[in-house]
Amino acid sequence: SAVISQKPSRDICQRGTSLTIQCQVDSQVTMMFWYRQQPGQSLTLIATANQGSEATYESGFVIDKFPISRPNLTFSTLTVSNMSPEDSSIYLCSVLPVSNTGELFFGEGSRLTVL
Amino acid sequence: KQEVTQIPAALSVPEGENLVLNCSFTDSAIYNLQWFRQDPGKGLTSLLLIQSSQREQTSGRLNASLDKSSGRSTLYIAASQPGDSATYLCAVESGGYQKVTFGTGTKLQVIP
């Protein structure tokens, strides 16, 4: 398994500002992902964070809006840029441990409210 | 395109009752299926992972089954407790490496 720490756990932000969410894992993992969960909805994959290279974004998500970094095997950041109320969601970091059984593990999430 | 459906969307049961949550998927060519629970405003906790070659997995009072041919999985919770109250999500990996599709979840309330 993997223990995942996400910061901040919640924040209230003003329209037009940007916020960076951090994800720290207690052990090396093969893959890290960022998901969004809008109110009352299920999870949608934003991107796969690739170590040392640009993230792989899913359809509908772009790097300018959601820049992602992954400088090493245990840490990643997601920035939500130029926020609008529609960005109010829970953002979740997920990892695939090196055991690679296919089992995903999630952080506690970052609840973001944009006014 | 894989679609994952969970029925019912919400369920309320008295404490002690055995219950079944359902998960259906449209593309049977899956790698695995995973069940999670999510407490309000929190992240996801992994409950059980079933590989495509397996029929079921058990952990404590939880038992998950998988029938790929019919595109169904069930999560059986025995002797439900108020602490089981949460939203339960199933997620299917298919259509490419680490391509995971989540269901919309079943919100469970166990009444003391």
Side-chain angles (χ1 to χ4, degrees):
Chain A
S1 65
V3 177
I4 304 164
S5 173
Q6 263 188 254
K7 293 180 182 179
S9 58
R10 59 176 61 225
D11 208 338
I12 300 173
C13 302
Q14 297 299 317
R15 182 195 300 260
T17 62
S18 299
L19 179 74
T20 296
I21 302 167
Q22 298 180 357
C23 177
Q24 177 73 56
V25 192
D26 69 338
S27 57
Q28 291 186 355
V29 296
T30 56
M31 301 185 77
M32 298 182 77
F33 308 93
W34 287 98
Y35 283 84
R36 180 176 74 180
Q37 187 177 31
Q38 294 177 300
Q41 304 295 315
S42 192
L43 278 73
T44 301
L45 179 64
I46 298 172
T48 301
N50 299 310
Q51 193 255 329
S53 64
E54 192 171 288
T56 304
Y57 290 84
E58 296 299 305
S59 176
F61 297 96
V62 295
I63 188 172
D64 290 345
K65 176 67 176 178
F66 298 102
I68 288 170
S69 77
R70 188 182 172 190
N72 57 52
L73 292 175
T74 62
F75 184 78
S76 178
T77 67
L78 167 73
T79 298
V80 186
S81 302
N82 188 25
M83 288 183 285
S84 67
E86 292 71 34
D87 294 320
S88 296
S89 298
I90 299 175
Y91 292 85
L92 295 139
C93 173
S94 173
V95 304
L96 182 66
V98 293
S99 60
N100 202 10
T101 61
E103 186 172 10
L104 291 176
F105 294 90
F106 282 81
E108 283 293 297
S110 298
R111 180 185 285 272
L112 182 60
T113 301
V114 184
L115 303 178
Chain B
K1 177 187 173 185
Q2 180 73 269
E3 294 181 3
V4 182
T5 304
Q6 291 186 248
I7 295 174
L11 181 64
S12 184
V13 300
E15 181 178 1
E17 191 163 297
N18 302 324
L19 59 100
V20 174
L21 307 181
N22 298 295
C23 172
S24 300
F25 46 94
T26 54
D27 182 356
S28 61
I30 68 170
Y31 298 109
N32 59 58
L33 184 145
Q34 193 168 355
W35 283 94
F36 297 89
R37 70 172 279 168
Q38 184 177 31
D39 294 291
K42 299 292 187 180
L44 277 65
T45 300
S46 177
L47 297 174
L48 291 163
L49 172 75
I50 310 177
Q51 302 289 355
S52 62
S53 59
Q54 297 174 320
R55 297 281 296 188
E56 65 178 341
Q57 283 285 342
T58 298
S59 176
R61 295 183 293 109
L62 305 180
N63 176 276
S65 67
L66 175 63
D67 184 346
K68 281 198 310 179
S69 62
S70 66
R72 292 183 179 182
S73 176
T74 61
L75 179 67
Y76 174 83
I77 302 177
S80 59
Q81 303 170 357
D84 294 329
S85 298
T87 296
Y88 290 80
L89 294 159
C90 68
V92 174
E93 183 184 356
S94 64
Y97 182 60
Q98 279 304 307
K99 195 74 174 175
V100 178
T101 305
F102 280 83
T104 50
T106 295
K107 186 174 182 179
L108 172 66
Q109 182 182 25
V110 181
I111 303 169

